[in-house]
Amino acid sequence: MDADTWTRLSEWHNLWLDAAPDERERLRRGFVADHPALEGDVNELVLAGSIVPGFLETPALACMLDDLAVEEAAIAVGTLVGPYRIVECWRVAGWDRCTGPPTSASVVTWP
């Protein structure tokens, strides 16, 4: 997509976001009538909905925490990580924490 097309689509999307819900479909139909090649892009933007309030103020990690939280450990017991062999994993405040005894090659201790 070239810069002019992006600007045109972005301006339309901002108008669409600011419009009353009953005006949005009219704006979509009018834009697609004038720019039929952009119908797919317009429909994707419409399906995405409006921006979540506070979006820019919310750290991206906070938005993904539910997706990142898993019950199983991210690394299997017995896995070698450099000179370390993982012998136990547990969860601490939603984060996996894995430990293992250092091998003869290691010089770092785990907390």
Side-chain angles (χ1 to χ4, degrees):
M1 181 179 295
D2 63 41
D4 290 336
T5 303
W6 173 254
T7 300
R8 188 177 311 118
L9 189 59
S10 178
E11 288 172 355
W12 170 83
H13 188 235
N14 287 329
L15 286 173
W16 184 85
L17 288 171
D18 291 338
D22 57 337
E23 284 291 307
R24 288 180 171 182
E25 181 57 24
R26 183 190 62 76
L27 286 172
R28 189 195 69 77
R29 281 193 315 262
F31 189 81
V32 168
D34 293 341
H35 309 283
L38 296 176
E39 182 174 11
D41 296 307
V42 166
N43 291 336
E44 284 184 43
L45 289 170
V46 168
L47 287 174
S50 59
I51 296 172
V52 176
F55 172 75
L56 293 177
E57 294 82 15
T58 305
L61 181 60
C63 296
M64 296 297 300
L65 286 179
D66 288 339
D67 293 333
L68 294 173
V70 293
E71 291 301 319
E72 61 276 349
I75 190 166
V77 171
T79 302
L80 279 175
V81 179
Y84 297 93
R85 180 175 308 279
I86 303 303
V87 295
E88 181 181 6
C89 295
W90 68 94
R91 304 198 53 76
V92 177
W95 294 90
D96 288 333
R97 188 169 180 89
C98 301
T99 63
T103 64
S104 59
S106 68
V107 292
V108 179
T109 58
W110 287 37

